């Protein structure tokens, strides 16, 4: 859909334009929100709220870039507010303090560090989907579901050391792939995963 037509249809309240934008950004927004709130259901709920805000402001956008910036920054703000409401911001704020400097404006265009990180995170999740079957399953159980190595080993009826080995293998495969694509450094994401690996 051409940008000018998309903006016109969105401003006019046509559901087809809204659905187009939703389909284009929903998955990446959920991944982004999850990296902040560490809760898949809450992340999805917060993203839904962001799209509700987009609908309310549908006539205010001058470009597709403005829409994209609004979606990711509004999601970021919603996530930080969620953490504040749960009194968990103090634990996370060091990792995401740089996000506080980004403000939503109608004139937003060009490079945006939040969007850049989000695109990298999206690429990271795409690499996860390319992992070998058992490796991918263990990785997701650990990093997306937050399960301990011992719990994963019992569930899959494999050894504890196998779980650790598969997690490390996943990290190496992802890292090597991202290096080949010249995407590293991952703005702290890879370091976070490494720390998580050694803590469990």
């Amino acid at each position: 859909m051409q940008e000018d037509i998309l903006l016109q249809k969105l401003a006019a309240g046509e559901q087809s334009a809204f659905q187009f934008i939703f389909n284009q950004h929903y998955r990446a927004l959920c991944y982004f929100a999850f990296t902040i709130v560490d809760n898949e259901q809450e992340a999805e709920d917060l993203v839904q709220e962001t799209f509700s805000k987009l609908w309310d402001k549908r006539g205010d956008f001058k470009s597709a870039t403005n829409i994209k910036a609004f979606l990711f920054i509004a999601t970021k703000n919603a996530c930080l507010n969620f953490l504040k409401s749960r009194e968990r911001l103090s634990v996370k704020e060091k990792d995401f303090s740089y996000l506080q400097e980004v403000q939503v404006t109608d004139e937003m265009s060009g490079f945006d560090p939040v969007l850049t990180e989000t695109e990298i995170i999206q690429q990271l999740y795409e690499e996860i989907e390319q992992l070998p079957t058992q490796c991918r399953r263990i990785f997701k159980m650990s990093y997306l579901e937050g399960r301990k190595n011992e719990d994963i080993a019992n569930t899959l009826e494999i050894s504890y050391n196998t779980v650790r080995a598969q997690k490390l293998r996943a990290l190496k495969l992802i890292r090597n792939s991202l290096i080949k694509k010249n995407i590293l450094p991952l703005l702290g994401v890879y370091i976070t995963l490494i720390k998580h690996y050694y803590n469990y």
Side-chain angles (χ1 to χ4, degrees):
M1 188 179 298
Q2 293 182 356
E3 182 174 348
D4 57 342
I5 296 176
L6 175 66
L7 294 172
Q8 290 173 12
K9 288 187 174 183
L10 180 65
E14 292 193 24
Q15 287 291 331
S16 61
F18 181 80
Q19 190 64 45
F20 179 86
I21 295 170
F22 181 91
N23 293 340
Q24 190 176 36
H25 297 296
Y26 179 75
R27 185 182 178 192
L29 284 166
C30 286
Y31 286 152
F32 179 52
F34 177 81
T35 64
I36 300 177
V37 302
D38 197 28
N39 183 299
E40 186 174 1
Q41 186 58 58
E42 291 291 352
E44 292 178 0
D45 290 344
L46 292 168
V47 171
Q48 291 285 352
E49 291 179 14
T50 293
F51 275 103
S52 294
K53 294 175 182 177
L54 173 68
W55 180 255
D56 292 339
K57 294 174 61 67
R58 60 188 179 274
D60 297 345
F61 301 101
K62 299 177 181 179
S63 70
T65 299
N66 293 156
I67 293 174
K68 185 177 181 181
F70 171 82
L71 286 172
F72 282 100
I73 297 171
T75 296
K76 176 266 297 185
N77 289 336
C79 290
L80 293 179
N81 287 336
F82 170 78
L83 293 178
K84 286 180 182 178
S85 69
R86 297 295 187 274
E87 296 183 350
R88 293 206 299 262
L89 183 59
S90 60
V91 178
K92 295 282 188 177
E93 61 185 359
K94 288 186 179 180
D95 291 335
F96 294 97
S97 59
Y98 70 93
L99 298 177
Q100 301 281 9
E101 300 175 1
V102 182
Q103 301 296 325
V104 179
T105 69
D106 291 337
E107 303 302 324
M108 276 191 150
S109 62
F111 176 77
D112 187 295
V114 177
L115 303 188
T116 301
E117 177 176 321
T118 301
E119 290 167 358
I120 292 175
I121 291 172
Q122 183 176 4
Q123 182 65 49
L124 173 65
Y125 276 87
E126 290 174 3
E127 294 300 329
I128 292 172
E129 294 301 324
Q130 300 302 315
L131 292 171
T133 302
Q134 186 184 48
C135 193
R136 180 176 67 248
R137 186 178 183 186
I138 291 173
F139 191 92
K140 285 184 174 182
M141 291 174 74
S142 176
Y143 295 108
L144 301 188
E145 299 175 20
R147 298 171 68 171
K148 305 277 188 172
N149 287 351
E150 185 175 356
D151 180 28
I152 297 173
N154 291 335
T155 299
L156 300 181
E157 298 181 345
I158 56 179
S159 72
Y160 179 92
N161 287 335
T162 296
V163 173
R164 287 181 60 86
Q166 288 295 316
K167 285 171 62 177
L168 184 57
R169 181 190 180 196
L171 290 170
K172 288 181 177 179
L173 287 172
I174 291 171
R175 183 176 185 275
N176 289 339
S177 180
L178 294 175
I179 288 175
K180 290 179 182 179
K181 295 180 179 180
N182 198 30
I183 294 175
L184 284 181
L186 266 178
L187 299 178
V189 175
Y190 180 73
I191 294 175
T192 300
L193 295 180
I194 286 290
K195 290 181 178 178
H196 187 98
Y197 169 79
Y198 284 111
N199 287 337
Y200 286 82

